[in-house]
Amino acid sequence: MYNIDIATIAIIAANVLVSMKGFSDTTFFERYKFSIGAIKAGQKERMATSGFLHVDISHLLFNMLTLYFFAGVVINWFGTTQFLIIYAVSLIGGSLLALSFHKDEPYYSAVGASGAVTGILYAAILLQPNMQLGIMFIPIPVPAYVVGIGYLLYSIYGMKKRLGNIGHTAHFGGAIGGYACTLLFMPSLLQTETLMVGLLALPILLLLVLEKMGKI
């Protein structure tokens, strides 16, 4: 395990502090959560602030643990500054995709760092696609690229079926942000990992096609 970077500590601390404030202050939570109606009315800051609020402790813990396990991969490859850029782009990317898909649903709302964290996860998978990941209920490690592709395919299914109280759209938008930033920062991957770059792009292309066809 790597020595945790100060940037990861800062992000986790910000999420904990803002989330704890939201847990105890309903007015604060309602003011800064992602809300289509409020954003369209001019409160654009919600697209960023919502990424630091969480529904409960388990929601916060899951996101922060995922960030902790994959942040080091991205930082080891790119350094702190580019890691922070990927995190921020993924956070906003998740909000932008959610805004695009739910623009006609004024009462749609969401919170959580999942979009930003998914961007870091997808960046880590693109950088090290063959790393082995342990998945609950699966007795053997699974290659990271399989997990990444499967996760986004599930997100598409979740978006289509409106499964659970989960921001599938934000997850997908965050993954697009992480994918795009990683290729921008390391375009050599297009040559050295051509197959993986293509495979990890398939769910993104599928979403675009389904959206164009009006199937989602």
Side-chain angles (χ1 to χ4, degrees):
M1 185 60 64
Y2 64 93
N3 293 322
I4 188 168
D5 188 87
I6 185 64
T8 307
I9 295 173
I11 290 174
I12 291 174
N15 273 276
V16 170
L17 291 173
V18 175
S19 292
M20 294 301 290
K21 173 67 174 175
F23 295 158
S24 62
D25 187 339
T26 303
T27 301
F28 178 86
F29 184 90
E30 292 295 323
R31 173 59 184 84
Y32 292 107
K33 71 180 183 180
F34 182 94
S35 169
I36 294 292
I39 290 170
K40 292 178 74 172
Q43 295 177 359
K44 308 296 186 186
E45 70 277 3
R46 290 174 181 259
M47 297 180 69
T49 58
S50 59
F52 293 90
L53 288 166
H54 290 81
V55 173
D56 52 33
I57 290 291
S58 61
H59 185 206
L60 173 64
L61 183 61
F62 179 81
N63 276 335
M64 295 303 99
L65 281 175
T66 304
L67 176 66
Y68 171 76
F69 285 123
F70 291 98
V73 175
V74 179
I75 292 170
N76 286 340
W77 279 80
F78 288 141
T80 298
T81 299
Q82 288 173 312
F83 162 75
L84 290 172
I85 291 172
I86 293 173
Y87 188 91
V89 168
S90 298
L91 192 162
I92 299 302
S95 291
L96 285 172
L97 194 66
L99 182 61
S100 174
F101 269 79
H102 301 286
K103 60 182 180 294
D104 297 322
E105 303 169 48
Y107 297 106
Y108 179 88
S109 63
V111 294
S114 301
V117 172
T118 303
I120 295 299
L121 170 65
Y122 219 64
I125 290 172
L126 186 55
L127 291 166
Q128 295 183 196
N130 292 308
M131 64 179 169
Q132 301 293 301
L133 302 180
I135 306 296
M136 192 177 298
F137 305 123
I138 298 178
I140 59 174
V142 180
Y145 72 91
V146 174
V147 175
I149 293 169
Y151 183 73
L152 288 198
L153 291 176
Y154 172 74
S155 293
I156 291 176
Y157 180 74
M159 291 161 65
K160 186 175 177 63
K161 298 295 185 180
R162 300 298 181 96
L163 290 179
N165 188 27
I166 300 172
H168 297 287
T169 316
H171 296 177
F172 206 103
I176 293 174
Y179 180 87
C181 283
T182 301
L183 291 180
L184 179 65
F185 293 150
M186 189 171 287
S188 60
L189 289 171
L190 292 166
Q191 293 181 317
T192 60
E193 294 287 355
T194 306
L195 177 60
M196 291 302 171
V197 169
L199 287 174
L200 290 168
L202 288 177
I204 298 172
L205 295 174
L206 177 61
L207 178 68
L208 295 176
V209 170
L210 290 174
E211 195 277 334
K212 190 72 173 178
M213 295 172 63
K215 300 291 187 181
I216 193 169

